[in-house]
Amino acid sequence: TVTKEFAAWEVTELENGLGGEFFIQLQIDPNLEPGTILENWAEISPLPGEDRVDDNYSNWIETLNAPGPNLRVHKWSSWNGAGGLRYHVRFENIGNEMVTNFWIQDTLPISTTYGGEWGMEFDESRLSDFLPTTEVLEWNFTEIGPGEIGWLFFDVNLDEPGVPLRWFTNTVEIYIPPGDPTPDDNTWNDVAFSGGEVYQVHLWFTE
């Protein structure tokens, strides 16, 4: 069901442990001024007897930017057990102009090494180079059009796996095209924490 105010989907069945995605494209009122806050709200109906409903809704907030070239990058991490991290990088062209020959550079956290595996959800024909080193990963793309989104995935190994009280800071940067109205969102820092658990306690008693 689609109206001017909302779109709704009825799902007849969803098996335990499975999930899905919906995609919807919205047109922005051309009369809005740059700086206008746009908020999108999504929710899923609670089930009978469901005792946790705080994760049944989500909102997404955007600020309308001035026209022109505009790239943005965002990332987050997840743990591969205690010995490694997987990073997810989302890069976007949120402007209204094509951007050509741009780089994405990712600086690995201290005390980690590149795991040798990476993947991408983007047009592979536009990847012109990938330069991995022990400290930095770099991707070079030929172009990204207005509204296009891409994803990068890669793993890093911890030099000392399983050690608690360690913070791992990863920084990703995307090329700032001339005239980008929001260059602050072309860099993103992700901080992962190994945990503060105490694994063993030893006591010695003396007379």
Side-chain angles (χ1 to χ4, degrees):
T1 301
V2 180
T3 73
K4 292 183 178 180
E5 289 78 30
F6 67 87
W9 296 265
E10 181 182 9
V11 181
T12 58
E13 184 178 86
L14 185 63
E15 295 184 14
N16 182 39
L18 298 183
E21 295 180 339
F22 293 109
F23 299 91
I24 183 168
Q25 184 173 357
L26 306 179
Q27 181 175 341
I28 299 174
D29 186 342
N31 296 316
L32 292 179
E33 295 292 331
T36 301
I37 303 298
L38 307 174
E39 183 173 7
N40 177 264
W41 184 269
E43 59 182 296
I44 187 170
S45 56
L47 301 174
E50 185 173 359
D51 58 359
R52 180 184 176 185
V53 296
D54 61 300
D55 58 358
N56 286 39
Y57 55 85
S58 178
N59 66 325
W60 186 274
I61 298 176
E62 290 280 0
T63 300
L64 183 62
N65 297 316
N70 197 338
L71 298 185
R72 178 170 67 183
V73 69
H74 176 76
K75 78 175 307 178
W76 65 93
S77 59
S78 57
W79 284 95
N80 289 335
L85 287 161
R86 163 153 287 202
Y87 286 104
H88 314 255
V89 178
R90 172 188 171 112
F91 58 96
E92 308 168 82
N93 183 344
I94 57 174
N96 64 347
E97 295 182 12
M98 176 78 72
V99 177
T100 60
N101 190 30
F102 68 95
W103 285 85
I104 297 175
Q105 182 184 78
D106 193 284
T107 303
L108 303 183
I110 297 174
S111 300
T112 67
T113 55
Y114 172 49
E117 298 288 338
W118 73 279
M120 178 176 67
E121 291 184 11
F122 195 62
D123 183 359
E124 294 184 3
S125 67
R126 287 187 260 178
L127 176 66
S128 60
D129 210 352
F130 171 58
L131 304 176
T133 68
T134 56
E135 298 179 353
V136 177
L137 307 180
E138 294 182 299
W139 295 264
N140 181 226
F141 294 93
T142 57
E143 63 180 27
I144 183 170
E148 287 193 305
I149 299 172
W151 296 86
L152 298 170
F153 314 92
F154 63 90
D155 296 325
V156 300
N157 299 322
L158 275 58
D159 295 348
E160 297 180 292
V163 178
L165 298 174
R166 295 289 177 89
W167 285 263
F168 300 94
T169 301
N170 178 281
T171 301
V172 64
E173 303 173 72
I174 193 169
Y175 168 71
I176 302 176
D180 190 322
T182 58
D184 290 348
D185 60 15
N186 290 49
T187 301
W188 188 273
N189 291 319
D190 176 88
V191 180
F193 180 50
S194 65
E197 295 85 357
V198 176
Y199 298 121
Q200 296 183 20
V201 175
H202 297 273
L203 300 177
W204 286 268
F205 295 93
T206 59
E207 294 182 358

